Amino acid sequence: MTQQKQYPLHLDLKPVMHVSGVVRLPGSKSISNRILLLAALAEGATTIIDLLASDDTFVMLGALTSLGVQWQQQEQAHPESLHQVHHVHGVNGVFPEHKADLFMGNAGTAIRPLTAALGVLGGDYTLHGVARMHERPIGDLVEALNAIGTQIDYTGAPGYPPLHIRCGHIHAQRLSVRGNVSSQFLTALLMVAPLMARQHAVSIDVQGELISKPYVEITLNLMRRFGVVVEQDGWQSFTVQPGQRYKSPGVIHVEGDASSASYFLAAGAIAGGPVRVEGVGRDSIQGDVRFVAALEQMGATITMGENWIEAKSNGILKAIDADFNHIPDAAMTVAVAALYADGTSTLRNIASWRVKETDRIAAMACELRKLGAVVEEGADYLRVTPPKVIAAATIDTYGDHRMAMCFSLASLDGAARRGNAIRINDPKCVAKTFPDYFAAFAGIAQETLF
């Protein structure tokens, strides 16, 4: 695995007068971990190009190794890429190791689909992580699986990891799961449905509203790439017909991370630009590219190509009132961009923030107030009134990579109010998805105050 970057205990950011430049994005975390598991379960070997090198993918790779999956990282450049290349040898739906103790860190994109896969395949497995992982709900997924015959037990607080998985007996072909807590529960069930649909069709019903639908679209798209087609009845029911098995597509590329793109595009919208991100564009399978619609609503100029997006400022940003249920991760960037708006902005339908790497509604409200904003925090919304001048502040990150990255934007000089010196505590948390984030951010900073 790639050697992990070393970080100081805190990082001081100088006020930045103007930004412009080009940023090559790291691979998408959501796509990377989905592809890794699908490649592992598939028949044949898969070459993965531009896999994200981060804490969450290291966790998934480590878990697959413990389960007996063989993979190699290619050190030299692949003919189609100057970036990382991994070769994963699929196990055709049966993990070689039937007993393992798996450390999952704080990687929701790893523990949830692996829980489903191991529950369906059976064995003797324990899954655990950092303290925050043991506070992130997994009960809806576990109960959906146990209802059809898996044997997954909680070894700590009911409804949360750590988990103990034993051999069960699947006795039903219809599952039901709530959709309003995390779309990762549905993603996990979809990814393992072909493992259950050997003789009979398997259907998954969604109870209530499904949040974060674009992330489910990523899952469905990648399953098709590995040879499995899912039938949909809107967003309420999904069916996998029998006889479908995952087969390697041979070579597959990981798109640049659209959530990570949001910080650089917002920087261009706030402090001049143009800033261009490469690795994601108009043809992306990631819903977070819709973030650019929010920036356009706020008055930024956006241009897009097949594999790039560019943003620049038109002056003072406009306040926004919008529903962000479809792009909860990128919505955090909007909350900080609201510091530069001409009035009060409201972010609605973001209840899923409460069960992420930290309680992001509470954390965002606390840190935005340090910068001088007036913030109203609700169960599923955040309302931000910007200060006349952004205050210098020390930002706590709560072990959450997105807190560190989005608050770097508070150092920018906007048309209406000047950014200030910002100290980011625990900057190493960005290693979860973007280890080189602060170097990339410094790369677009064209002028600093001191």
Side-chain angles (χ1 to χ4, degrees):
M1 298 183 195
T2 302
Q3 185 175 4
Q4 298 194 46
K5 185 178 178 64
Q6 298 298 311
Y7 295 87
L9 294 177
H10 61 259
L11 185 66
D12 292 321
L13 302 179
K14 298 177 180 179
V16 176
M17 300 295 292
H18 179 76
V19 296
S20 66
V22 178
V23 177
R24 176 72 186 180
L25 296 169
S28 161
K29 175 189 71 171
S30 296
I31 295 176
S32 290
N33 270 350
R34 283 167 172 81
I35 287 178
L36 281 174
L37 182 55
L38 292 175
L41 292 171
E43 176 186 352
T46 303
T47 297
I48 307 171
I49 299 175
D50 289 343
L51 185 78
L52 173 65
S54 75
D55 287 352
D56 279 18
T57 50
F58 295 152
V59 162
M60 179 65 95
L61 287 166
L64 294 177
T65 298
S66 297
L67 294 168
V69 178
Q70 296 183 12
W71 60 271
Q72 298 88 35
Q73 180 178 330
Q74 186 173 318
E75 296 301 331
Q76 69 271 26
H78 187 277
E80 298 182 59
S81 176
L82 296 176
H83 300 271
Q84 291 201 59
V85 177
H86 289 73
H87 304 284
V88 178
H89 303 273
V91 298
N92 198 18
V94 180
F95 289 121
E97 296 293 336
H98 302 293
K99 183 174 183 179
D101 178 67
L102 305 177
F103 175 72
M104 308 309 300
N106 196 12
T109 57
I111 193 173
R112 282 147 179 180
L114 270 176
T115 294
L118 298 175
V120 168
L121 295 175
D124 184 358
Y125 304 107
T126 55
L127 291 85
H128 56 99
V130 300
R132 176 58 183 173
M133 176 63 86
H134 298 167
E135 298 172 346
R136 299 180 67 180
I138 201 169
D140 287 312
L141 174 61
V142 170
E143 302 314 315
L145 290 164
N146 282 349
I148 63 163
T150 65
Q151 290 195 44
I152 306 174
D153 299 318
Y154 306 112
T155 60
Y160 301 86
L163 305 172
H164 182 205
I165 299 175
R166 295 173 291 164
C167 287
H169 177 69
I170 306 298
H171 55 68
Q173 281 77 48
R174 193 164 204 105
L175 300 87
S176 180
V177 66
R178 283 203 302 162
N180 65 344
V181 176
S182 172
S183 65
Q184 289 178 8
F185 300 155
L186 175 59
T187 277
L189 295 176
L190 287 168
M191 292 177 73
V192 301
L195 305 180
M196 296 184 283
R198 301 295 170 86
Q199 303 295 328
H200 305 280
V202 170
S203 294
I204 304 165
D205 297 322
V206 177
Q207 301 172 22
E209 180 188 5
L210 176 63
I211 65 171
S212 304
K213 295 181 181 72
Y215 287 97
V216 177
E217 290 177 331
I218 292 175
T219 304
L220 298 173
N221 185 296
L222 293 175
M223 289 176 68
R224 285 194 296 272
R225 292 288 305 276
F226 281 84
V228 172
V229 176
V230 180
E231 299 172 3
Q232 281 185 251
D233 180 7
W235 293 101
Q236 296 306 122
S237 182
F238 301 80
T239 299
V240 173
Q241 294 297 336
Q244 300 189 81
R245 300 174 74 89
Y246 290 125
K247 295 182 180 179
S248 170
V251 178
I252 190 166
H253 292 252
V254 177
E255 288 184 9
D257 189 75
S259 300
S260 296
S262 70
Y263 313 116
F264 302 102
L265 296 173
I270 292 166
V275 174
R276 175 176 292 202
V277 295
E278 295 180 343
V280 66
R282 71 165 72 96
D283 297 328
S284 172
I285 66 171
Q286 298 171 77
D288 275 4
V289 295
R290 303 179 195 178
F291 168 78
V292 300
L295 284 185
E296 286 183 313
Q297 189 177 343
M298 297 179 83
T301 297
I302 302 293
T303 52
M304 301 178 70
E306 180 180 346
N307 198 42
W308 58 268
I309 308 174
E310 189 172 277
K312 64 181 180 180
S313 173
N314 278 338
I316 300 173
L317 295 182
K318 301 173 184 176
I320 191 171
D321 186 330
D323 185 318
F324 287 99
N325 177 271
H326 58 304
I327 54 167
D329 287 348
M332 295 177 69
T333 313
V334 175
V336 179
L339 293 170
Y340 298 90
D342 60 2
T344 299
S345 293
T346 304
L347 288 70
R348 302 184 185 276
N349 209 357
I350 54 172
S352 65
W353 281 17
R354 298 282 188 191
V355 295
K356 296 287 189 176
E357 282 80 348
T358 188
D359 180 340
R360 286 175 170 170
I361 292 181
M364 289 293 294
C366 180
E367 304 310 307
L368 286 167
R369 290 182 183 120
K370 291 181 181 179
L371 299 169
V374 176
V375 183
E376 180 183 339
E377 170 193 344
D380 65 350
Y381 73 90
L382 199 69
R383 186 166 289 122
V384 182
T385 302
K388 291 183 178 179
V389 177
I390 294 173
T394 296
I395 300 298
D396 291 313
T397 52
Y398 307 82
D400 188 338
H401 57 138
R402 301 211 181 279
M403 290 292 292
M405 292 187 281
C406 68
F407 274 96
S408 66
L409 299 174
S411 65
L412 300 178
D413 184 68
R417 51 191 58 84
R418 188 176 302 279
N420 217 319
I422 301 296
R423 171 168 286 186
I424 305 290
N425 281 337
D426 189 28
K428 71 178 182 296
C429 63
V430 300
K432 182 176 176 70
T433 51
F434 199 158
D436 294 324
Y437 172 76
F438 289 109
F441 185 73
I444 63 170
Q446 300 301 314
E447 304 172 49
T448 57
L449 280 179
F450 48 81

